[in-house]
Amino acid sequence: MHLQLWRSAQRYCFGLRQTVFAVLLALLASPSLAQQPAEDTFVPPLSDPVLEARAKAMQKDLRCLVCQGQSIDESNAPLAADLRRLIRQQIQAGQSDDQVKDFLVARYGAFVLMKPPIRFDTYILWFGPLLLLLLGGSVIGATILRARKRLASDSVSENLDLPA
């Protein structure tokens, strides 16, 4: 009789543990299921197809400052949508492509351009990755040379310590 009570208590506790685990799992998963409010990144096209083509071409030449690896044409970031709207406003106001780009460079720096010009202040953008690669290669090379010298000196000292 005690054995039957013990087994029913075990079944009850096992079921209770499963229920508690399922509730905790549901509570932990619920924040990941929550939807973020969608920000409006849609920018209506210009009515003139020639101006819209200019805007699209310019959007492909400008970097999203949030994503950094995408142009503002590809990005869904709110800042990219704001920049797309700004470009369209300036084009409608009669600004040339160079004037719009100059305005954005003055506001955000040369980094906003997908292909920044090679100037003194953009050397780090152009040559920084190459310098880091060379620095890393030289550190790895020096480490390998040091290890080879250490192995060579250890093997020579072991050969000298051997009895003849």
PDB file of all heavy atoms in Angstrom, residues 6-19:
ATOM      1  N   TRP A   6       3.488   5.823  -2.801  1.00  0.00           N
ATOM      2  CA  TRP A   6       4.761   6.394  -3.209  1.00  0.00           C
ATOM      3  C   TRP A   6       4.805   6.597  -4.725  1.00  0.00           C
ATOM      4  O   TRP A   6       5.223   7.639  -5.219  1.00  0.00           O
ATOM      5  CB  TRP A   6       5.900   5.485  -2.741  1.00  0.00           C
ATOM      6  CG  TRP A   6       7.255   5.952  -3.187  1.00  0.00           C
ATOM      7  CD1 TRP A   6       8.016   5.383  -4.136  1.00  0.00           C
ATOM      8  CD2 TRP A   6       7.966   7.087  -2.731  1.00  0.00           C
ATOM      9  NE1 TRP A   6       9.175   6.072  -4.301  1.00  0.00           N
ATOM     10  CE2 TRP A   6       9.176   7.149  -3.427  1.00  0.00           C
ATOM     11  CE3 TRP A   6       7.713   8.059  -1.778  1.00  0.00           C
ATOM     12  CZ2 TRP A   6      10.115   8.125  -3.229  1.00  0.00           C
ATOM     13  CZ3 TRP A   6       8.663   9.028  -1.579  1.00  0.00           C
ATOM     14  CH2 TRP A   6       9.833   9.072  -2.303  1.00  0.00           C
ATOM     15  N   ARG A   7       4.338   5.611  -5.498  1.00  0.00           N
ATOM     16  CA  ARG A   7       4.353   5.692  -6.954  1.00  0.00           C
ATOM     17  C   ARG A   7       3.392   6.775  -7.456  1.00  0.00           C
ATOM     18  O   ARG A   7       3.696   7.508  -8.392  1.00  0.00           O
ATOM     19  CB  ARG A   7       4.008   4.346  -7.572  1.00  0.00           C
ATOM     20  CG  ARG A   7       5.166   3.388  -7.476  1.00  0.00           C
ATOM     21  CD  ARG A   7       4.906   2.132  -8.243  1.00  0.00           C
ATOM     22  NE  ARG A   7       6.059   1.243  -8.094  1.00  0.00           N
ATOM     23  CZ  ARG A   7       6.028  -0.036  -8.299  1.00  0.00           C
ATOM     24  NH1 ARG A   7       4.910  -0.619  -8.672  1.00  0.00           N
ATOM     25  NH2 ARG A   7       7.108  -0.756  -8.142  1.00  0.00           N
ATOM     26  N   SER A   8       2.238   6.901  -6.858  1.00  0.00           N
ATOM     27  CA  SER A   8       1.293   7.939  -7.285  1.00  0.00           C
ATOM     28  C   SER A   8       1.852   9.332  -6.964  1.00  0.00           C
ATOM     29  O   SER A   8       1.673  10.277  -7.733  1.00  0.00           O
ATOM     30  CB  SER A   8      -0.082   7.730  -6.651  1.00  0.00           C
ATOM     31  OG  SER A   8      -0.017   7.866  -5.249  1.00  0.00           O
ATOM     32  N   ALA A   9       2.561   9.445  -5.835  1.00  0.00           N
ATOM     33  CA  ALA A   9       3.179  10.725  -5.485  1.00  0.00           C
ATOM     34  C   ALA A   9       4.288  11.064  -6.477  1.00  0.00           C
ATOM     35  O   ALA A   9       4.448  12.220  -6.888  1.00  0.00           O
ATOM     36  CB  ALA A   9       3.727  10.683  -4.063  1.00  0.00           C
ATOM     37  N   GLN A  10       5.051  10.033  -6.895  1.00  0.00           N
ATOM     38  CA  GLN A  10       6.105  10.269  -7.878  1.00  0.00           C
ATOM     39  C   GLN A  10       5.515  10.726  -9.209  1.00  0.00           C
ATOM     40  O   GLN A  10       6.023  11.639  -9.846  1.00  0.00           O
ATOM     41  CB  GLN A  10       6.927   8.994  -8.094  1.00  0.00           C
ATOM     42  CG  GLN A  10       7.979   8.758  -7.046  1.00  0.00           C
ATOM     43  CD  GLN A  10       8.790   7.506  -7.355  1.00  0.00           C
ATOM     44  OE1 GLN A  10       8.278   6.544  -7.926  1.00  0.00           O
ATOM     45  NE2 GLN A  10      10.051   7.537  -6.957  1.00  0.00           N
ATOM     46  N   ARG A  11       4.418  10.069  -9.648  1.00  0.00           N
ATOM     47  CA  ARG A  11       3.767  10.454 -10.896  1.00  0.00           C
ATOM     48  C   ARG A  11       3.254  11.885 -10.810  1.00  0.00           C
ATOM     49  O   ARG A  11       3.380  12.665 -11.744  1.00  0.00           O
ATOM     50  CB  ARG A  11       2.622   9.495 -11.225  1.00  0.00           C
ATOM     51  CG  ARG A  11       3.105   8.286 -11.968  1.00  0.00           C
ATOM     52  CD  ARG A  11       1.953   7.441 -12.469  1.00  0.00           C
ATOM     53  NE  ARG A  11       2.013   6.201 -11.706  1.00  0.00           N
ATOM     54  CZ  ARG A  11       1.045   5.679 -10.976  1.00  0.00           C
ATOM     55  NH1 ARG A  11      -0.115   6.244 -10.944  1.00  0.00           N
ATOM     56  NH2 ARG A  11       1.230   4.575 -10.318  1.00  0.00           N
ATOM     57  N   TYR A  12       2.676  12.246  -9.663  1.00  0.00           N
ATOM     58  CA  TYR A  12       2.149  13.595  -9.468  1.00  0.00           C
ATOM     59  C   TYR A  12       3.283  14.619  -9.545  1.00  0.00           C
ATOM     60  O   TYR A  12       3.183  15.636 -10.212  1.00  0.00           O
ATOM     61  CB  TYR A  12       1.413  13.701  -8.132  1.00  0.00           C
ATOM     62  CG  TYR A  12       0.969  15.097  -7.808  1.00  0.00           C
ATOM     63  CD1 TYR A  12      -0.137  15.652  -8.439  1.00  0.00           C
ATOM     64  CD2 TYR A  12       1.675  15.867  -6.895  1.00  0.00           C
ATOM     65  CE1 TYR A  12      -0.535  16.950  -8.156  1.00  0.00           C
ATOM     66  CE2 TYR A  12       1.287  17.151  -6.601  1.00  0.00           C
ATOM     67  CZ  TYR A  12       0.185  17.690  -7.238  1.00  0.00           C
ATOM     68  OH  TYR A  12      -0.199  18.972  -6.959  1.00  0.00           O
ATOM     69  N   CYS A  13       4.398  14.337  -8.857  1.00  0.00           N
ATOM     70  CA  CYS A  13       5.538  15.261  -8.864  1.00  0.00           C
ATOM     71  C   CYS A  13       6.150  15.360 -10.256  1.00  0.00           C
ATOM     72  O   CYS A  13       6.540  16.439 -10.694  1.00  0.00           O
ATOM     73  CB  CYS A  13       6.594  14.817  -7.862  1.00  0.00           C
ATOM     74  SG  CYS A  13       6.108  15.087  -6.152  1.00  0.00           S
ATOM     75  N   PHE A  14       6.218  14.234 -10.962  1.00  0.00           N
ATOM     76  CA  PHE A  14       6.770  14.254 -12.309  1.00  0.00           C
ATOM     77  C   PHE A  14       5.895  15.098 -13.219  1.00  0.00           C
ATOM     78  O   PHE A  14       6.389  15.915 -13.985  1.00  0.00           O
ATOM     79  CB  PHE A  14       6.910  12.826 -12.846  1.00  0.00           C
ATOM     80  CG  PHE A  14       7.541  12.768 -14.196  1.00  0.00           C
ATOM     81  CD1 PHE A  14       8.896  13.007 -14.367  1.00  0.00           C
ATOM     82  CD2 PHE A  14       6.764  12.490 -15.315  1.00  0.00           C
ATOM     83  CE1 PHE A  14       9.470  12.957 -15.628  1.00  0.00           C
ATOM     84  CE2 PHE A  14       7.333  12.441 -16.569  1.00  0.00           C
ATOM     85  CZ  PHE A  14       8.689  12.680 -16.726  1.00  0.00           C
ATOM     86  N   GLY A  15       4.603  14.944 -13.125  1.00  0.00           N
ATOM     87  CA  GLY A  15       3.675  15.748 -13.922  1.00  0.00           C
ATOM     88  C   GLY A  15       3.754  17.219 -13.550  1.00  0.00           C
ATOM     89  O   GLY A  15       3.689  18.096 -14.402  1.00  0.00           O
ATOM     90  N   LEU A  16       3.902  17.501 -12.270  1.00  0.00           N
ATOM     91  CA  LEU A  16       4.018  18.877 -11.801  1.00  0.00           C
ATOM     92  C   LEU A  16       5.308  19.503 -12.330  1.00  0.00           C
ATOM     93  O   LEU A  16       5.310  20.655 -12.780  1.00  0.00           O
ATOM     94  CB  LEU A  16       3.986  18.921 -10.271  1.00  0.00           C
ATOM     95  CG  LEU A  16       4.029  20.288  -9.632  1.00  0.00           C
ATOM     96  CD1 LEU A  16       2.779  21.075 -10.014  1.00  0.00           C
ATOM     97  CD2 LEU A  16       4.143  20.173  -8.123  1.00  0.00           C
ATOM     98  N   ARG A  17       6.400  18.731 -12.325  1.00  0.00           N
ATOM     99  CA  ARG A  17       7.660  19.240 -12.839  1.00  0.00           C
ATOM    100  C   ARG A  17       7.553  19.556 -14.329  1.00  0.00           C
ATOM    101  O   ARG A  17       8.055  20.580 -14.782  1.00  0.00           O
ATOM    102  CB  ARG A  17       8.778  18.217 -12.627  1.00  0.00           C
ATOM    103  CG  ARG A  17       9.401  18.307 -11.263  1.00  0.00           C
ATOM    104  CD  ARG A  17      10.650  17.460 -11.186  1.00  0.00           C
ATOM    105  NE  ARG A  17      10.449  16.547 -10.079  1.00  0.00           N
ATOM    106  CZ  ARG A  17      10.869  15.306 -10.014  1.00  0.00           C
ATOM    107  NH1 ARG A  17      11.549  14.787 -10.994  1.00  0.00           N
ATOM    108  NH2 ARG A  17      10.633  14.565  -8.966  1.00  0.00           N
ATOM    109  N   GLN A  18       6.902  18.687 -15.078  1.00  0.00           N
ATOM    110  CA  GLN A  18       6.727  18.938 -16.503  1.00  0.00           C
ATOM    111  C   GLN A  18       5.901  20.191 -16.743  1.00  0.00           C
ATOM    112  O   GLN A  18       6.201  20.989 -17.621  1.00  0.00           O
ATOM    113  CB  GLN A  18       6.045  17.746 -17.181  1.00  0.00           C
ATOM    114  CG  GLN A  18       6.965  16.583 -17.423  1.00  0.00           C
ATOM    115  CD  GLN A  18       6.243  15.466 -18.141  1.00  0.00           C
ATOM    116  OE1 GLN A  18       5.051  15.246 -17.940  1.00  0.00           O
ATOM    117  NE2 GLN A  18       6.974  14.749 -18.980  1.00  0.00           N
ATOM    118  N   THR A  19       4.863  20.384 -15.949  1.00  0.00           N
ATOM    119  CA  THR A  19       4.007  21.560 -16.107  1.00  0.00           C
ATOM    120  C   THR A  19       4.779  22.834 -15.788  1.00  0.00           C
ATOM    121  O   THR A  19       4.709  23.823 -16.528  1.00  0.00           O
ATOM    122  CB  THR A  19       2.765  21.441 -15.199  1.00  0.00           C
ATOM    123  OG1 THR A  19       2.101  20.202 -15.483  1.00  0.00           O
ATOM    124  CG2 THR A  19       1.816  22.600 -15.402  1.00  0.00           C
TER     125      THR A  19
END
